[in-house]
Amino acid sequence: MELNSKVEKNLNKFKLTQGLLISSLPLLLLSCTGSGSSDSDSTTNNDSTNIITGLVPGTLIEAFCADGSYYKTNSIDNNTAEHPFSLSIPSGIDCRLVMTTNEDNPVTRIITPINFSASGTESGLINLTNNLDIGYVPLELEITNIVDENSDNVVDSPLTIALSLPSGVTIKSVSYDLLDEDGDGIPNVYEDDDQDGIHNSDDDDDDNNGISDDDEPDNKDNDHDGIEDSYDKDDNNDGLKDEEDNEDNKDGLKDEDDNSIDDINKTENDGEDEVNKDEDEKDEDEKDEDENSEGNKSDEVNQEEEQNNPDTSETTQLQAVSYEVISGRLLASQCAQCHGTNGHSVTEWDSLAGESANEIIEEMREMKAGDEDPLMQAQAHGYSDEEIEALANWFATQSSNSHDD
Amino acid sequence: MNAKFTRRSLLKAIVAATVSPVLISSVNAATIPHIVVVGAGFSGATVAKYLKLWAGSSVQVTIIEPNSTYVSPILSNLVLNHQKTTTDLSFSYVNYSQKYSINMVHDKVSHIDKTAKTISLENGQSIPYDKLILAPGIEFEAVSGHDFTKVPHAWQAGEQTNLLKSQIDAMSDGDSFVMSIPASPYRCPPGPYERACVVADYLKNSKGFNNCTVTVLDENAGIIVEADTFGAAFNEYGINYIPDAVVSSVDSDNKVVNFSIDGGAIQSLAATTLNIIPNQKAGNIVFSAGLNSGNWAPVNPLNYESTMAADIHIIGDSQGTGMPKAGHIGNSEAKICADAVLRSLNGLQPDPAPKTNSACYSPVSSSTATWLTIVYEYNSSTQSMQPVSVPNLSGGYPAASSGASTRNYNNMFNWAGNLFSDTFS
Ligand SMILES: Cc1cc2nc3c(=O)[nH]c(=O)nc-3n(C[C@H](O)[C@H](O)[C@H](O)COP(=O)(O)OP(=O)(O)OC[C@H]3O[C@@H](n4cnc5c(N)ncnc54)[C@H](O)[C@@H]3O)c2cc1C
């Protein structure tokens, strides 16, 4: 049957992938973030970047990132079979890579989403706070060799590159990713939701309802990357950030003349316009029926799979959380409603960050005794001496000028 | 896994299931825990922020919220007397979600599958969770004949607030304002009394109308909080206060409310502007998921986990601990919940002695306000939250301001500014 040959092809490709074990060296010379960058993504400076390098057959390399930003580069023809490339992506932001060979020929081009595997984790989501060299990537050049059920030039499963990771590089295995909502390793932009052979980002009518996507009232994700336009730093994936891009939703209107919601900066009345909202939701329902019409078949097979292999879906393990119970922090967080996150007030009321433990303890004692500030007096009475000491000691660890942690 | 299985993922699954042991082992690789938060009001936005603040990229947090702008009910009575606009009270999630790397999905959750641990959105998409936190706020009990688009409740802020404002703006001298107060517990205990004062003050002192009437139909037996202060203000404004008044139906076109006092005969009252605030219950999703007992969701106050389902937590107005339904304490609960969820993902027990606190500032005119505050502790024998016993604080909890003042009015904005930023930025 046809399916068998496809599986075989898939297997061949798989062997290829397995044989590919690249150890990558951190390119210290190229490093532009310096050392000591934090691994917490809540503190990342969005403007710093890291570089991903490697060797490919002549190829377009694209990166789709969780903040909606988009980056691309072409490899450089050095007259060998292995062309070097170098692509800057934002530090500390999860990104997915896609590589396209024969990129200038719409008939023979091959679009290959990339997965990485390292120490037991396999995922297409990569997060850099250091530079990464991925070595040679053996991309397919011959369109007839790929498995592409719906003939949209996108391979049906990603190519996996095994890496041993330098520090500052993480491969993230997640159960849900906005950039790849169905979790198959093919980013949303290269899905073909209506199975018409044109992947979503090229498909002007991605639900085949006869209405151009630009004219659909519920078109909230112009570039189909999964990040709604108002959250998308580059909502037409042209490589220009919206703030620098004066024409970013392809409707021919400059942003300042355009009433539709296509900007990074939200319009004031979005949330209040509830009547319109309802209409939008109905439209989404409609679109949905389209998507589900091919879902039945998958469900059936999916059930079979579960029967044959009851373990696979049940044994998802969770990674440990990097969470330390720090004495006083939870209690101190209960002061933040009035004194700001981590003790950084944004109003005339006192900041607690930057005060010494003794100052806070002394103030709380005075508050309890006096009635100068009756609300604070009432609050102070709610905490025991031990609790006050614990929260004061925690505030004392907070510097007065760092605003986020 | 996702219900929206595409052909590609299907093919991959077949390969995985039948022939390739290597792929199976990668399927089993440990994933980053995914925490889904439903609703991004005061409690939901706080819990998502603190999960990321405290655990960084080691957890993945996704918010499902239908509205792209949140309009705060806190301070919204000040829209009625033109001291604030709903724009002043609006918060976008754009900078917030980028700052903490939170996934934002603007949709409504329509179904929870507790066994598969997935939620479904109205657009049909299904999303897996490891921990689910519900923060859907309140829903209203139906009142016969009540059409919100004609007789606003204005108890969720935004369009409703502006509708009530425009109806009050259209009043002339001699017109009547009638409002109802729901049976306790409801969202923000002092809020309705505050509203009656703000509207009466506005009609009298800002518009200069000496012949308007303000009538309050309270389903409770008396003013339930700050009775001295609100009672004094009601007297000063000449507000007609009717306790034990149960609203039975509304004629929304003619602005007539039918009610009975203390179980007596049905009476009718016609108004120029009618503001019916119906009785309240947990958000619909709590009911459709079978997580309610009566009108609210029973939870363990050590971690806010539902007592009816594992790995589902409920915070904010929907939870049924008996603590007040208010934004400040919703923010407070959210932090206890975030800490407990993160501990639990690492196999640790929740903090055995959590503390929460509540604060409400109530404007009673365009330049004066009152306040109310409580600190709660966990009682391990009753397994519930109770006000801390404070023998050295005269009057104990709840503690309230001695009266309305301008100092309180100014402090109200210092308080709200930090509460808003601790929640939404
Ligand atoms: C006039 C007034 C004055 C007030 N003053 C104070 C005060 O001084 N102090 C104080 O502490 N509190 C005050 N409050 C109360 C406070 O506003 C509420 O208690 C608070 O908003 C409750 O927070 P929450 O997170 O539970 O719900 P909300 O803030 O209502 O948020 C719930 C969110 O969930 C979303 N949602 C609902 N269902 C779903 C679903 N199925 N899927 C996805 N999303 C969903 C909604 O869109 C909404 O954004 C006041 C309220 C009013 C009306």
Side-chain angles (χ1 to χ4, degrees):
Chain A
M1 258 186 56
E2 208 193 24
L3 190 66
N4 276 338
S5 69
K6 300 242 183 240
V7 171
E8 248 167 55
K9 265 191 225 158
N10 239 349
L11 273 178
N12 284 338
K13 197 174 67 192
F14 203 88
K15 278 183 200 137
L16 200 74
T17 323
Q18 275 181 302
L20 192 80
L21 240 169
I22 299 157
S23 74
S24 10
L25 305 166
L27 296 184
L28 292 175
L29 285 177
L30 285 173
S31 175
C32 60
T33 49
S35 55
S37 60
S38 152
D39 70 345
S40 155
D41 51 11
S42 58
T43 58
T44 308
N45 174 357
N46 284 351
D47 293 336
S48 67
T49 58
N50 287 100
I51 298 169
I52 188 158
T53 52
L55 298 168
V56 286
T59 303
L60 167 73
I61 299 100
E62 297 174 292
F64 301 88
C65 301
D67 59 0
S69 60
Y70 170 79
Y71 306 84
K72 67 172 174 185
T73 190
N74 284 90
S75 60
I76 295 163
D77 189 350
N78 60 356
N79 289 321
T80 73
E82 302 188 356
H83 300 181
F85 75 90
S86 160
L87 182 65
S88 285
I89 62 171
S91 297
I93 307 263
D94 300 343
C95 296
R96 288 184 175 273
L97 290 189
V98 176
M99 299 189 177
T100 304
T101 45
N102 312 329
E103 66 268 26
D104 295 327
N105 186 329
V107 179
T108 60
R109 70 178 170 165
I110 300 171
I111 301 167
T112 310
I114 303 297
N115 265 4
F116 296 98
S117 92
S119 31
T121 299
E122 182 184 333
S123 166
L125 268 189
I126 190 158
N127 186 301
L128 302 188
T129 55
N130 196 348
N131 297 328
L132 174 68
D133 182 44
I134 61 172
Y136 179 68
V137 186
L139 295 164
E140 186 56 65
L141 288 163
E142 190 49 62
I143 186 79
T144 51
N145 286 348
I146 68 164
V147 180
D148 178 14
E149 179 84 352
N150 58 334
S151 308
D152 64 351
N153 295 58
V154 181
V155 301
D156 285 348
S157 51
L159 172 66
T160 301
I161 302 175
L163 294 175
S164 75
L165 298 180
S167 70
V169 176
T170 2
I171 306 298
K172 287 191 168 175
S173 170
V174 298
S175 53
Y176 177 65
D177 179 18
L178 285 179
L179 296 168
D180 174 22
E181 279 165 2
D182 62 0
D184 65 355
I186 313 294
N188 298 332
V189 279
Y190 287 121
E191 290 291 351
D192 176 18
D193 284 346
D194 56 6
Q195 298 281 324
D196 64 355
I198 307 169
H199 55 77
N200 294 345
S201 59
D202 270 5
D203 195 344
D204 186 44
D205 173 18
D206 68 359
D207 52 6
N208 263 352
N209 68 354
I211 302 169
S212 150
D213 289 350
D214 288 343
D215 297 334
E216 304 244 15
D218 64 342
N219 179 21
K220 291 186 287 188
D221 180 13
N222 182 52
D223 57 15
H224 304 270
D225 62 359
I227 315 291
E228 280 188 26
D229 293 342
S230 48
Y231 298 87
D232 194 328
K233 290 213 162 152
D234 176 7
D235 67 16
N236 60 352
N237 278 351
D238 64 355
L240 280 176
K241 299 261 174 78
D242 286 355
E243 42 206 279
E244 302 149 7
D245 190 352
N246 196 22
E247 204 289 274
D248 68 0
N249 73 345
K250 297 178 186 160
D251 63 359
L253 283 176
K254 289 185 179 175
D255 285 354
E256 64 251 41
D257 304 326
D258 190 349
N259 288 328
S260 78
I261 316 161
D262 63 321
D263 294 326
I264 181 157
N265 296 320
K266 302 211 16 44
T267 51
E268 217 69 81
N269 59 0
D270 283 346
E272 291 176 35
D273 203 349
E274 278 170 11
V275 182
N276 272 337
K277 190 104 212 164
D278 285 343
E279 272 167 32
D280 282 4
E281 278 162 13
K282 266 182 224 134
D283 280 326
E284 275 162 28
D285 286 348
E286 243 173 63
K287 170 176 148 194
D288 217 68
E289 278 163 24
D290 278 7
E291 280 167 359
N292 282 345
S293 58
E294 47 123 19
N296 300 336
K297 199 170 38 171
S298 341
D299 278 346
E300 270 167 36
V301 187
N302 192 16
Q303 269 167 15
E304 265 171 37
E305 185 220 332
E306 269 167 25
Q307 275 161 15
N308 293 344
N309 225 328
D311 280 343
T312 43
S313 60
E314 311 267 310
T315 52
T316 336
Q317 287 164 4
L318 295 182
Q319 280 177 27
V321 168
S322 70
Y323 185 61
E324 221 186 308
V325 176
I326 299 171
S327 165
R329 182 171 66 179
L330 181 58
L331 274 169
S333 74
Q334 298 295 340
C335 307
Q337 291 95 305
C338 295
H339 294 280
T341 304
N342 294 335
H344 294 106
S345 171
V346 298
T347 72
E348 285 169 18
W349 279 4
D350 289 346
S351 282
L352 299 175
E355 292 196 31
S356 73
N358 281 338
E359 280 172 307
I360 294 175
I361 293 166
E362 195 47 42
E363 280 163 3
M364 290 290 274
R365 206 168 277 149
E366 283 169 20
M367 291 292 178
K368 278 191 190 182
D371 54 6
E372 210 173 287
D373 184 341
L375 195 156
M376 201 48 227
Q377 181 189 28
Q379 277 290 317
H381 274 281
Y383 300 87
S384 69
D385 290 348
E386 297 74 47
E387 287 171 330
I388 289 171
E389 207 171 300
L391 67 87
N393 282 327
W394 186 81
F395 276 122
T397 66
Q398 299 299 298
S399 85
S400 53
N401 44 25
S402 137
H403 258 269
D404 286 325
D405 27 344
Chain B
M1 274 267 113
N2 207 303
K4 213 167 83 181
F5 247 78
T6 65
R7 203 171 304 190
R8 283 192 198 96
S9 52
L10 172 67
L11 266 176
K12 191 176 171 191
I14 293 171
V15 175
T18 51
V19 283
S20 167
V22 181
L23 262 183
I24 287 176
S25 77
S26 78
V27 166
N28 288 348
T31 57
I32 295 171
H34 186 212
I35 305 163
V36 174
V37 177
V38 180
F42 278 93
S43 55
T46 305
V47 82
K49 166 176 167 173
Y50 274 82
L51 285 165
K52 292 298 279 186
L53 198 60
W54 287 341
S57 52
S58 72
V59 291
Q60 211 203 350
V61 177
T62 301
I63 288 177
I64 319 292
E65 160 65 54
N67 300 315
S68 55
T69 303
Y70 181 79
V71 185
S72 167
I74 294 180
L75 302 188
S76 69
N77 281 333
L78 294 175
V79 174
L80 306 179
N81 68 353
H82 295 230
Q83 299 300 301
K84 289 277 172 201
T85 63
T86 48
T87 308
D88 297 336
L89 304 179
S90 292
F91 300 92
S92 144
Y93 302 106
V94 173
N95 291 335
Y96 158 94
S97 63
Q98 278 166 358
K99 183 167 170 189
Y100 300 104
S101 297
I102 293 167
N103 297 328
M104 282 303 304
V105 176
H106 287 307
D107 206 328
K108 232 175 160 165
V109 174
S110 55
H111 179 73
I112 299 171
D113 183 334
K114 297 177 227 170
T115 318
K117 294 178 81 173
T118 59
I119 55 158
S120 318
L121 306 186
E122 281 188 348
N123 76 7
Q125 203 194 343
S126 149
I127 296 178
Y129 66 83
D130 298 304
K131 300 279 183 185
L132 180 63
I133 301 174
L134 304 180
I138 50 162
E139 201 51 58
F140 298 104
E141 298 265 30
V143 174
S144 158
H146 190 184
D147 178 348
F148 295 165
T149 65
K150 293 173 180 154
V151 173
H153 52 74
W155 219 240
Q156 286 158 329
E159 263 193 2
Q160 279 282 305
T161 317
N162 287 322
L163 178 60
L164 182 58
K165 169 184 180 284
S166 64
Q167 292 184 358
I168 293 169
D169 281 345
M171 287 171 69
S172 318
D173 203 2
D175 283 349
S176 58
F177 177 82
V178 175
M179 66 176 283
S180 72
I181 300 183
S184 181
Y186 58 83
R187 161 175 289 185
C188 190
Y193 305 100
E194 158 191 327
R195 174 172 291 171
C197 293
V198 164
V199 172
D201 170 68
Y202 177 69
L203 292 172
K204 196 171 193 166
N205 297 321
S206 298
K207 304 255 268 184
F209 296 162
N210 288 316
N211 303 306
C212 283
T213 56
V214 172
T215 303
V216 174
L217 302 173
D218 192 345
E219 183 160 343
N220 301 291
I223 298 177
I224 64 169
V225 282
E226 299 175 71
D228 292 347
T229 310
F230 287 124
F234 279 16
N235 280 337
E236 185 197 324
Y237 294 128
I239 291 171
N240 178 22
Y241 177 69
I242 306 174
D244 284 320
V246 179
V247 172
S248 50
S249 65
V250 173
D251 177 344
S252 296
D253 287 319
N254 297 309
K255 308 269 169 72
V256 174
V257 53
N258 301 309
F259 63 99
S260 65
I261 299 172
D262 228 355
I266 302 279
Q267 312 181 24
S268 294
L269 193 58
T272 318
T273 299
L274 185 56
N275 172 210
I276 298 297
I277 307 170
N279 287 348
Q280 293 159 27
K281 55 186 177 179
N284 283 338
I285 190 71
V286 168
F287 287 80
S288 64
L291 299 171
N292 66 303
S293 160
N295 273 5
W296 310 101
V299 295
N300 171 0
L302 292 178
N303 57 8
Y304 295 89
E305 189 169 29
S306 167
T307 57
M308 306 170 83
D311 297 322
I312 303 181
H313 301 248
I314 300 136
I315 54 176
D317 287 357
S318 281
Q319 54 75 32
T321 58
M323 292 189 290
K325 305 193 178 301
H328 181 112
I329 200 167
N331 167 301
S332 174
E333 295 156 14
K335 292 160 184 168
I336 308 293
C337 176
D339 173 71
V341 162
L342 293 171
R343 289 185 194 223
S344 141
L345 286 168
N346 278 355
L348 301 174
Q349 292 300 310
D351 182 341
K355 287 217 161 151
T356 58
N357 63 66
S358 177
C360 287
Y361 271 90
S362 293
V364 295
S365 73
S366 58
S367 62
T368 58
T370 69
W371 54 259
L372 180 74
T373 195
I374 312 183
V375 181
Y376 286 89
E377 67 185 354
Y378 183 69
N379 179 329
S380 54
S381 50
T382 61
Q383 301 186 339
S384 62
M385 298 300 281
Q386 64 185 29
V388 179
S389 131
V390 278
N392 295 325
L393 180 68
S394 74
Y397 292 131
S401 57
S402 53
S405 74
T406 305
R407 182 187 175 203
N408 291 339
Y409 190 83
N410 295 331
N411 271 333
M412 175 167 65
F413 300 110
N414 288 322
W415 160 75
N418 276 332
L419 175 60
F420 292 163
S421 109
D422 189 42
T423 305
F424 297 110
S425 12

